[in-house]
Amino acid sequence: IMNATIRPCDSFYTSMCGRFIDSHTNENRAFSYGWRRTRARLALLLGPNSTSPKAQLAQAFYQACLRRGSPGSQKEAGIEFAHLRDWIVNPVRTHADLSVAFGRLARLGYTGPFALSMEQHPLEPRVLPFWSPDGFPSALLDEGKLFQLLQKWRSLTQYTSMQESHIIEGVLSVSRQLAMHRGPDPNVTDYSAYLQGQFARDLVHMSDFVPSSSSSVWSWDRYFQTLDGNGLRFELGQQFWSPDSAYLKWFIVQDGFQSIAVTDWRAFLEFSILYNGNEFDPAL
């Protein structure tokens, strides 16, 4: 599917997928339209004649990516970390704020407390491409390992030893309490067989995951609105996929997330920003 005549630095997308695009124009009209529209938008934002504030912001971000690894990149990383902390962590004062905070983690693709995907079937065309990593790797959830990571990031975070201890205690507390309600990890060795069998049993309806208490502070509307600027809305009959529906029912329907202290959730959120931005994929 690659077009080796195009240099990746000139057009990474065309270099990787060019032959596929050229030979599948008819059956991929919508995809090709989206591709052309995105190219035009990028040219408008990043072109040499762009003078709008948004264009200048995009150009500055683009240049920051190119400077990764340079002496100034550490300072830029610190600014970005502070921005994400202000956007995700600092607004969380009560459990009612967590719907938005978890949505913001999911929007970035960062580790959150649960996973779901709004789709009929991964092989069907009507798919909302959304995935949120569900919990940190079990090998990471060790006091010594967490301490080593936080020490490695100290030049970025400027944490004191007391602040690092708070993060470690919070992450471990949240992870242990969530683990008590999770089922065993799905053992999917044959993806095709899974789609034909178990996948159908993992499809559930939105109506089954509405908080049971009228006083619940969880809001699906706020969660999905955070994912999409226009505000996603789903009917109660909407199907979605969940790898552990019993756990998700405890978390949402039974307000399980409220049994965990807000201070611990804040530590979990902050560590997710650090881990995904600096350890999961350091190049980003």
Side-chain angles (χ1 to χ4, degrees):
I1 69 173
M2 296 173 64
N3 182 351
T5 66
I6 303 296
R7 296 195 321 135
C9 290
D10 292 336
S11 174
F12 183 79
Y13 178 68
T14 306
S15 178
M16 296 297 104
C17 310
R19 287 178 58 195
F20 180 88
I21 297 167
D22 293 339
S23 58
H24 293 77
T25 54
N26 290 331
E27 60 267 43
N28 287 278
R29 289 190 186 96
F31 186 78
S32 299
Y33 167 74
W35 170 61
R36 290 195 299 272
R37 185 179 179 188
T38 300
R39 282 189 63 188
R41 182 64 175 163
L42 287 173
L44 181 66
L45 286 173
L46 300 175
N49 298 322
S50 301
T51 57
S52 71
K54 284 188 177 180
Q56 293 171 357
L57 181 64
Q59 290 169 350
F61 178 76
Y62 178 66
Q63 292 300 322
C65 290
L66 297 182
R67 288 195 298 270
R68 277 298 187 203
S70 69
S73 65
Q74 184 66 32
K75 180 179 178 181
E76 292 175 354
I79 294 172
E80 180 66 12
F81 169 61
H83 164 70
L84 289 174
R85 186 169 51 187
D86 287 342
W87 188 54
I88 297 175
V89 183
N90 290 347
V92 176
R93 301 299 177 188
T94 69
H95 288 95
D97 300 319
L98 289 171
S99 300
V100 170
F102 295 151
R104 286 176 174 169
L105 283 185
R107 181 168 182 165
L108 294 172
Y110 286 0
T111 302
F114 59 83
L116 57 83
S117 184
M118 310 298 286
E119 58 184 279
Q120 279 190 319
H121 194 285
L123 303 183
E124 295 291 332
R126 190 184 67 81
V127 172
L128 175 68
F130 159 52
W131 171 257
S132 173
D134 186 14
F136 299 109
S138 56
L140 184 70
L141 299 175
D142 171 81
E143 187 171 348
K145 177 63 174 177
L146 294 176
F147 179 74
Q148 290 175 7
L149 287 177
L150 288 171
Q151 274 197 316
K152 187 167 69 172
W153 303 331
R154 190 170 284 175
S155 61
L156 172 69
T157 64
Q158 302 296 314
Y159 285 156
T160 64
S161 297
M162 185 175 295
Q163 289 173 312
E164 290 177 351
S165 297
H166 167 70
I167 294 290
I168 293 171
E169 291 172 6
V171 170
L172 292 178
S173 175
V174 170
S175 299
R176 287 165 181 163
Q177 292 183 71
L178 297 185
M180 292 172 58
H181 298 274
R182 294 187 193 276
D185 291 336
N187 183 21
V188 180
T189 55
D190 186 333
Y191 186 60
S192 177
Y194 172 75
L195 293 178
Q196 297 171 13
Q198 180 65 32
F199 178 82
R201 293 191 290 276
D202 289 341
L203 281 175
V204 293
H205 291 89
M206 182 63 72
S207 58
D208 296 328
F209 293 86
V210 176
S212 56
S213 171
S214 58
S215 61
S216 174
V217 298
W218 178 260
S219 171
W220 281 118
D221 281 349
R222 295 181 70 198
Y223 178 79
F224 286 122
Q225 190 173 18
T226 305
L227 283 173
D228 178 82
N230 297 319
L232 295 172
R233 296 291 184 273
F234 295 102
E235 301 295 332
L236 291 179
Q238 168 71 37
Q239 277 188 315
F240 69 89
W241 173 86
S242 170
D244 193 340
S245 58
Y247 164 74
L248 191 59
K249 280 190 175 182
W250 167 80
F251 193 92
I252 301 296
V253 179
Q254 301 173 26
D255 291 318
F257 72 99
Q258 291 196 74
S259 65
I260 299 173
V262 172
T263 52
D264 289 342
W265 276 125
R266 285 170 58 91
F268 179 94
L269 294 169
E270 194 152 337
F271 184 78
S272 182
I273 297 171
L274 284 165
Y275 172 73
N276 286 279
N278 297 277
E279 185 70 14
F280 179 70
D281 195 342
L284 297 180

